[in-house]
Amino acid sequence: MFIEVKGAKKIYGKGESEVRALDGASLSLEEGGLYVILGPSGSGKSTLLNMLGGLDHLDGGNLEIGGVKVSGMSDKQLVEYRRSDVGFVFQFYNLIPDLTVRENIQVVADITKEPLNVDEVMEAVDVKKYEHHFPSELSGGQQQRVSIARAIVKNPKILLCDELTGALDSKSAKTVLKFVESVNRKFHTTVIIITHNEAIAQMADRIIRIKDGQVSSNEANPAKRAAKDVEL
Amino acid sequence: MTLRKRYLRNLKKHLSFYVCTILLTAMVVVLYLCFAAASVVVMQELKNFYRDYKAEDAQFRTATELAEEDVKSLEEKFWILLERQSYVDLEEEQYTVRVLSPTEKTDLYQISGERDLEKDGEILLNTGFMRGNQIREGDEIRLGDRGFSVAGDFERPDYLFTIRETTDTFAMTKEFGLAEVSEADYDALEKSYGASGEYYAILYQGADEAEVRKYINEKYKMLSYLGADANSRLSTPEVTVEEASKYMDSIVVLLVIFITLIIAVVLGRRIQNDRRQIGVLIALGYRKRELARHYAFYGLLPGLLGGLLGLGFSILFAQRLISVLFYKFEPLPVAYKVKPSDGVLAVLVPAILYTLTVYLSAKKVMRTDVITMISGRKSIKEAFSMRMKRSRLSVRSKFRLRQIFGKPGRSLIVIIGLAFGGMLYAFCACCVDSMDTYVKSVVDQIGKFEYEYFLKLPRTGEPEEGSPMLGMVYEVKDSDDVIMLLGTDDGRYISFSDEEGNPVPYDPEKCYLTSMASVAFGVKAGESIIFFDPISLEEHSVTIEAVLENDAQSAIYCSREKAGEIMGVPGECYNVILSETTLSFEKDELLRTVSKKDLADQINEVKVNMENMMGMLNIFSILICVIVVYVMVNVLVSESASSVSMLKVLGYRNREINGMVLNVYHFLIPVAILLSLVLGVEGTRMVFTKNVATYKTYLEALIYPASVLKLVLLVVVSYGISLMLLRGKIRKVSMVESLKDNRE
């Protein structure tokens, strides 16, 4: 398995205010798939994503990606892991406001050993025409496409998308999903989308459901649809 | 209101900022209460002490002794207080003690210890001498052939500056002491050893001074007259307090302006960064007025806490701090306590200023429409800046350039912070360096002689060695200062050059004024100066041909003949001899001897005063520099938190993030240092201009390269320490938390 999570635990707070964001979650996923993790608010899906992306440490359990044990990595090792293997797309885009579209993508290419061509990536997500715009001059959908471009320019092994359409209208959301799908196909990138939007699950190879910090189901999606056919 | 719960949370969240702001405010309050306000109070208390303990208005000697009846008749005639005073100097192995005659009408003493003299055989000593020699109450002290039991210590208004001779510049507290004994003991001492000096002390109490002096001179022939303003024992404490007051006033005003500005800028930016929450609260139905009031509290808090902290510190330590400033005098007989009105002012002013600043910042933020505020977007104008479309620079370089030039407000606060931090130090260094340069140049201006001998009686003809001069001290019309009239024929030891350094041809028919006198009395070349004989009060006027560069002495130079005319003695007389070598005289021939070194020491004392005052300020300046720089750099990190967080998520190493976010401001340091230098030097120039009357010269403001180097080090080290501390903060910036909050 490409991604192997076993008994993952993450606890925030202490005593009465203790919150078990992950409470023994286990999950196995193959390389190159497009996965959707579903769950209600507070179920622990964002925490799981943070762990997969090396943004935080587990309090218990194991996490291996591509045969490399991510849990137990030091902060410095996590930096290197994020630098080479992970791409992030966030709900609120999180572009760097002081950089133009091209520069927001280039800033990642600069620290990547073998980045993809920035122009090609921009064209792939159709933002080339805005290359000299600052984020504040773009719409939400446009910003999210830039965010995808930024994530994929390093040609990551995993693309992690946190509620990537949460701030978009349905038309923009569908466009963004199409780009994510194309990245998955074109670059064979493992894509994990976390969302509470059930409709997005239609395009997944597998649908993982999380509840109370545990994986309640991990099932193949026999009725997988293309992003363009997803009914949002 | 639930909203108020944010106060404590905000305080915890930005604890380091609030701690720094509170400390800065407290320091300004301490400077104000312990120095600026204290100087005013000390001055007032000093005047009260002089008044209550009947400090003399003048002292004089007469050729004909005044009998008790004469004194009584003079007092009744003019409603004055007049008292014969004398002293006996008893020289012991390690020190000299001046036993002062008991006084009843003038120059009364105040007991500093527990008790007064109660019986014969007891002695009171001045506080400085007791401390210097570790003498305690109840100790025995032997003076001459008599033993005394120390009853305690005392202060006298005419000896707060305990110099042996009025021409001395240092109070040697360990080597020279004062004593009060019972009348019987004093009489016995005077009988055994003879009076070392005697004079009449006078208090005019509103009587016409000129009329009294004229009458006494006519009837009893005055030999000397020394007004309180010309008596350094009486005038030095007042002048020093006044000087400190002027300096501290200027500095505190500057500090209040700059620190308020800095805190206003920082708090203002904090409000700016809170605009999304403000927008949300408006959308929820809050009135803008309510929110402005809510945010105003963020300013009130550090202002009030800082003010209270400073007030508390001042109440505890004001007396100690102020005594450090006036270390060269006897402990001033002033129990300085913070005046309630000053305390209230010190607490309220920062609180009001900060509150107002934040209130106005909040109002300004709320001028933006609610949707823009909620979106958290910045203005389009800012977003469009520094596009650098065709630039071939790397992304990191563009990022750095935009950090600096794309956000002028932020860069400005870094520059202001660094510049202000350094400014106070530059100011202190500039004051000391300027004074040092002045002292060095002035010593050369004194003249080429090494010794100046003042004879008791004038002589005629020429001395065997040295250059003869005819000199006398005069009082100047409409001034408290005195001037020396010096007649010289060869002028060989006097530097005849103007203020530009050009030689001035000496014309024996003309009179020349030193630059110090020119400034002190406001007389320029071509104008006349009017002065009086201090004994006969006869008025004289001379026209000044040229002003000579001499900031060491206040004097008029002319020929001996002209000086003789004015003084009413033959022109061939002399009573002063200038010499390059030591000359020998009989003991009773000399009134006093002044060496060039003495004069240099005296001038140097001005520098020592300055160094002492600035040394104290320097401690504050270094602390302020470090705190201000830390606060400013802290703002940078806080404002860059989202970018830092994102760069971390993208896989940037901490070192790389520091390079992009923090280190970009390195090159602003030289700009800030330059600015702090300009501000420091200009500030000094301003203060020197204000103090022309005190120094009787226009001091040129300058700073030594070594001081500039120290300034650079101070700013760079402060900046470095701040960065080091803040790098830890960068490491702590949470990737998860700030991502949630970032919606640019």
Side-chain angles (χ1 to χ4, degrees):
Chain A
M1 282 295 163
F2 180 62
I3 296 174
E4 196 80 56
V5 183
K6 278 185 187 166
K9 283 187 181 173
K10 183 68 190 176
I11 302 163
Y12 294 108
K14 278 180 183 173
E16 283 182 13
S17 60
E18 181 181 290
V19 176
R20 292 179 167 264
L22 288 179
D23 195 10
S26 297
L27 180 67
S28 298
L29 298 171
E30 285 178 3
E31 190 172 11
L34 195 154
Y35 307 105
V36 171
I37 300 177
L38 287 170
S41 290
S43 59
K45 55 185 190 301
S46 285
T47 308
L48 180 63
L49 188 94
N50 291 341
M51 301 303 155
L52 292 171
L55 296 181
D56 209 346
H57 295 276
L58 279 176
D59 292 329
N62 268 317
L63 167 60
E64 279 186 22
I65 293 175
V68 178
K69 195 177 170 192
V70 175
S71 53
M73 274 187 179
S74 67
D75 283 343
K76 273 190 178 175
Q77 288 169 321
L78 283 178
V79 170
E80 297 309 315
Y81 165 65
R82 287 198 303 274
R83 204 175 167 100
S84 56
D85 295 342
V86 188
F88 280 101
V89 180
F90 298 97
Q91 180 179 3
F92 295 118
Y93 338 124
N94 298 95
L95 298 174
I96 296 175
D98 308 314
L99 299 179
T100 61
V101 166
R102 169 179 278 279
E103 290 160 2
N104 259 290
I105 301 164
Q106 185 69 47
V107 79
V108 175
D110 285 350
I111 57 166
T112 306
K113 279 181 190 162
E114 290 172 14
L116 301 177
N117 181 288
V118 173
D119 286 297
E120 280 178 23
V121 171
M122 281 196 291
E123 270 160 15
V125 294
D126 197 23
V127 292
K128 179 85 166 78
K129 50 184 170 281
Y130 311 120
E131 65 175 323
H132 297 302
H133 284 55
F134 285 100
S136 56
E137 297 168 286
L138 302 178
S139 70
Q142 288 162 343
Q143 286 192 59
Q144 196 60 298
R145 273 148 52 200
V146 178
S147 175
I148 294 169
R150 182 180 66 179
I152 61 172
V153 74
K154 67 164 81 163
N155 197 10
K157 288 179 183 163
I158 319 169
L159 178 62
L160 299 171
C161 309
D162 185 2
E163 298 282 10
L164 83 166
T165 57
L168 303 175
D169 61 84
S170 58
K171 194 180 165 196
S172 305
K174 196 172 262 187
T175 313
V176 165
L177 288 174
K178 279 197 279 184
F179 283 118
V180 171
E181 185 184 57
S182 71
V183 167
N184 173 246
R185 279 189 197 152
K186 193 172 174 184
F187 302 109
H188 199 59
T189 309
T190 305
V191 176
I192 299 176
I193 300 170
I194 65 159
T195 180
H196 56 262
N197 187 343
E198 292 270 351
I200 294 174
Q202 295 165 35
M203 62 186 279
D205 292 318
R206 292 186 78 85
I207 302 167
I208 298 110
R209 290 181 190 276
I210 289 193
K211 196 180 173 190
D212 298 331
Q214 292 178 336
V215 175
S216 56
S217 69
N218 178 0
E219 293 166 351
N221 179 16
K224 182 182 174 182
R225 287 187 188 183
K228 65 179 171 57
D229 300 323
V230 167
E231 287 167 17
L232 291 169
Chain B
M1 208 158 58
T2 314
L3 215 50
R4 287 192 192 126
K5 289 184 178 171
R6 298 178 78 208
Y7 293 143
L8 199 61
R9 288 172 195 155
N10 188 281
L11 190 74
K12 276 166 108 177
K13 192 176 169 190
H14 302 296
L15 192 63
S16 64
F17 164 72
Y18 281 108
V19 168
C20 290
T21 312
I22 289 167
L23 282 178
L24 278 177
T25 309
M27 271 193 264
V28 178
V29 168
V30 169
L31 278 173
Y32 170 68
L33 289 177
C34 294
F35 299 112
S39 299
V40 175
V41 175
V42 168
M43 179 60 105
Q44 189 53 52
E45 292 288 325
L46 198 60
K47 283 183 192 297
N48 292 345
F49 178 66
Y50 280 1
R51 184 199 61 211
D52 297 344
Y53 288 83
K54 314 277 186 197
E56 68 193 36
D57 286 333
Q59 53 178 263
F60 61 86
R61 290 184 301 118
T62 52
T64 312
E65 195 179 330
L66 274 73
E68 270 190 39
E69 303 83 66
D70 297 322
V71 170
K72 206 173 170 190
S73 118
L74 280 167
E75 285 182 333
E76 281 171 4
K77 184 176 171 66
F78 295 105
W79 289 98
I80 55 170
L81 287 177
L82 191 60
E83 188 171 33
R84 177 186 174 269
Q85 289 191 23
S86 62
Y87 53 84
V88 179
D89 284 346
L90 297 169
E91 302 203 1
E92 299 299 318
E93 203 172 304
Q94 292 181 337
Y95 45 72
T96 299
V97 174
R98 175 167 292 175
V99 184
L100 304 162
S101 63
T103 53
E104 288 175 353
K105 294 184 270 187
T106 58
D107 301 325
L108 308 176
Y109 66 81
Q110 175 187 280
I111 310 154
S112 312
E114 296 285 308
R115 67 181 186 90
D116 201 351
L117 297 170
E118 285 170 359
K119 55 181 189 277
D120 293 344
E122 287 189 334
I123 193 167
L124 291 173
L125 296 165
N126 68 303
T127 314
F129 180 72
M130 276 183 73
R131 284 184 191 167
N133 290 286
Q134 297 180 323
I135 300 170
R136 291 183 183 82
E137 269 181 44
D139 284 358
E140 292 292 320
I141 183 169
R142 189 141 199 97
L143 296 176
D145 57 357
R146 295 172 65 92
F148 291 93
S149 166
V150 178
D153 51 345
F154 77 101
E155 318 280 359
R156 238 173 83 147
D158 56 334
Y159 272 100
L160 277 181
F161 188 29
T162 51
I163 44 175
R164 188 167 174 162
E165 303 296 333
T166 52
T167 48
D168 287 350
T169 50
F170 295 105
M172 316 288 272
T173 50
K174 210 172 166 184
E175 288 82 15
F176 180 70
L178 301 166
E180 290 279 354
V181 293
S182 69
E183 204 157 345
D185 283 340
Y186 183 78
D187 288 343
L189 283 172
E190 197 177 74
K191 203 171 172 186
S192 304
Y193 299 98
S196 310
E198 57 185 302
Y199 51 85
Y200 295 94
I202 185 165
L203 254 169
Y204 288 107
Q205 301 191 118
D208 184 339
E209 184 185 339
E211 191 190 349
V212 177
R213 286 168 66 175
K214 206 169 172 185
Y215 182 84
I216 294 174
N217 183 45
E218 279 168 8
K219 198 160 180 190
Y220 304 99
K221 181 68 187 157
M222 269 190 192
L223 292 175
S224 69
Y225 183 89
L226 183 66
D229 289 324
N231 182 347
S232 53
R233 287 195 196 109
L234 276 156
S235 62
T236 309
E238 278 192 306
V239 169
T240 310
V241 175
E242 193 183 357
E243 186 188 353
S245 176
K246 276 184 187 166
Y247 268 85
M248 289 301 171
D249 273 357
S250 317
I251 289 159
V252 170
V253 168
L254 275 177
L255 273 178
V256 169
I257 291 171
F258 275 91
I259 289 188
T260 307
L261 184 74
I262 281 167
I263 290 172
V265 168
V266 176
L267 283 171
R269 290 193 81 85
R270 287 225 178 283
I271 303 297
Q272 280 280 347
N273 295 336
D274 224 14
R275 61 190 180 281
R276 191 184 299 158
Q277 284 89 320
I278 295 174
V280 170
L281 288 167
I282 291 172
L284 291 175
Y286 275 88
R287 292 187 193 96
K288 289 184 177 178
R289 193 167 15 98
E290 287 171 333
L291 289 173
R293 274 208 303 266
H294 167 73
Y295 278 96
F297 190 80
Y298 291 111
L300 180 70
L301 196 73
L304 209 58
L305 288 179
L308 286 171
L309 183 70
L311 177 65
F313 187 88
S314 303
I315 289 171
L316 291 174
F317 299 106
Q319 182 77 30
R320 257 183 245 176
L321 286 175
I322 196 99
S323 59
V324 172
L325 206 55
F326 305 118
Y327 74 103
K328 68 175 186 175
F329 310 119
E330 284 293 285
L332 293 180
V334 176
Y336 172 65
K337 280 183 190 151
V338 175
K339 268 168 66 182
S341 55
D342 286 336
V344 170
L345 203 69
V347 173
L348 286 185
V349 167
I352 291 170
L353 278 176
Y354 300 168
T355 306
L356 202 66
T357 305
V358 182
Y359 181 83
L360 293 175
S361 295
K363 293 273 273 185
K364 192 180 162 198
V365 167
M366 286 186 282
R367 270 190 230 137
T368 320
D369 69 275
V370 181
I371 296 166
T372 310
M373 272 196 273
I374 293 174
S375 74
R377 290 178 186 219
K378 286 170 187 165
S379 69
I380 294 295
K381 195 179 162 192
E382 191 177 337
F384 275 21
S385 63
M386 303 285 293
R387 200 180 293 272
M388 294 187 280
K389 219 171 177 174
R390 290 186 184 86
S391 168
R392 288 182 178 275
L393 286 171
S394 71
V395 175
R396 289 189 204 191
S397 303
K398 285 181 185 175
F399 182 85
R400 288 188 189 113
L401 285 172
R402 285 191 195 117
Q403 288 285 308
I404 296 161
F405 298 109
K407 296 178 170 59
R410 200 187 289 180
S411 300
L412 194 68
I413 63 167
V414 177
I415 293 178
I416 289 175
L418 289 169
F420 174 71
M423 183 202 77
L424 199 58
Y425 180 83
F427 173 81
C428 295
C430 186
C431 283
V432 173
D433 292 349
S434 308
M435 196 56 85
D436 188 57
T437 307
Y438 162 75
V439 165
K440 281 177 187 160
S441 65
V442 155
V443 171
D444 294 334
Q445 290 167 12
I446 294 171
K448 293 159 204 142
F449 63 92
E450 288 299 324
Y451 299 94
E452 197 171 13
Y453 297 97
F454 292 84
L455 307 174
K456 273 189 178 167
L457 295 168
R459 294 178 184 177
T460 51
E462 295 294 318
E464 285 177 21
E465 282 180 82
S467 170
M469 290 177 90
L470 186 56
M472 185 170 158
V473 175
Y474 285 87
E475 290 175 5
V476 178
K477 191 180 181 184
D478 302 325
S479 170
D480 291 333
D481 289 318
V482 293
I483 195 166
M484 188 94 180
L485 176 73
L486 288 165
T488 175
D489 287 341
D490 55 17
R492 63 182 141 137
Y493 292 120
I494 311 295
S495 309
F496 276 90
S497 56
D498 64 16
E499 289 174 284
E500 279 77 47
N502 305 317
V504 174
Y506 175 62
D507 182 343
E509 296 299 313
K510 305 282 166 63
C511 291
Y512 303 86
L513 192 67
T514 60
S515 50
M516 180 182 241
S518 169
V519 172
F521 307 116
V523 177
K524 295 181 187 123
E527 294 176 355
S528 295
I529 181 165
I530 301 166
F531 48 94
F532 300 92
D533 184 323
I535 293 167
S536 67
L537 296 179
E538 191 184 341
E539 184 178 309
H540 303 279
S541 171
V542 295
T543 304
I544 300 303
E545 173 69 12
V547 173
L548 306 178
E549 188 179 21
N550 183 343
D551 286 331
Q553 284 172 309
S554 189
I556 300 169
Y557 290 111
C558 59
S559 65
R560 269 160 71 190
E561 195 180 335
K562 194 161 184 70
E565 251 174 58
I566 294 168
M567 290 162 63
V569 294
E572 61 272 22
C573 281
Y574 66 90
N575 60 349
V576 181
I577 302 172
L578 301 184
S579 165
E580 283 178 282
T581 54
T582 47
L583 305 178
S584 56
F585 292 92
E586 293 296 321
K587 197 183 170 189
D588 59 353
E589 284 180 319
L590 278 180
L591 195 63
R592 64 190 163 101
T593 307
V594 178
S595 71
K596 194 171 176 180
K597 189 182 168 300
D598 291 339
L599 282 172
D601 284 347
Q602 196 173 333
I603 295 159
N604 199 48
E605 180 66 0
V606 185
K607 189 187 128 193
V608 173
N609 274 349
M610 177 71 80
E611 280 174 342
N612 184 47
M613 197 153 58
M614 291 304 140
M616 180 93 76
L617 267 182
N618 244 337
I619 299 169
F620 281 86
S621 76
I622 291 168
L623 282 174
I624 288 173
C625 183
V626 173
I627 295 175
V628 166
V629 173
Y630 178 81
V631 168
M632 288 308 184
V633 184
N634 200 354
V635 171
L636 297 185
V637 176
S638 303
E639 292 193 357
S640 308
S642 59
S643 297
V644 170
S645 173
M646 196 61 232
L647 289 168
K648 278 187 174 185
V649 169
L650 294 176
Y652 272 77
R653 299 183 185 104
N654 282 333
R655 190 168 33 86
E656 292 166 333
I657 297 172
N658 287 337
M660 288 177 77
V661 178
L662 277 187
N663 301 348
V664 291
Y665 294 98
H666 288 357
F667 95 93
L668 293 181
I669 296 178
V671 180
I673 289 172
L674 198 68
L675 199 62
S676 63
L677 260 178
V678 172
L679 288 172
V681 174
E682 283 309 310
T684 310
R685 188 164 290 141
M686 227 168 65
V687 173
F688 280 170
T689 308
K690 207 175 158 188
N691 275 281
V692 166
T694 309
Y695 296 122
K696 300 178 185 69
T697 185
Y698 289 106
L699 291 176
E700 198 175 330
L702 54 86
I703 188 161
Y704 291 156
S707 302
V708 176
L709 196 68
K710 283 183 198 164
L711 168 72
V712 172
L713 274 177
L714 174 69
V715 175
V716 170
V717 169
S718 306
Y719 181 73
I721 292 171
S722 304
L723 283 192
M724 226 160 63
L725 293 171
L726 292 166
R727 274 184 184 141
K729 202 168 176 176
I730 280 205
R731 275 198 294 276
K732 283 182 196 158
V733 169
S734 160
M735 286 177 279
V736 180
E737 288 305 310
S738 50
L739 284 175
K740 280 183 186 168
D741 200 34
N742 187 350
R743 276 205 295 160
E744 288 296 344

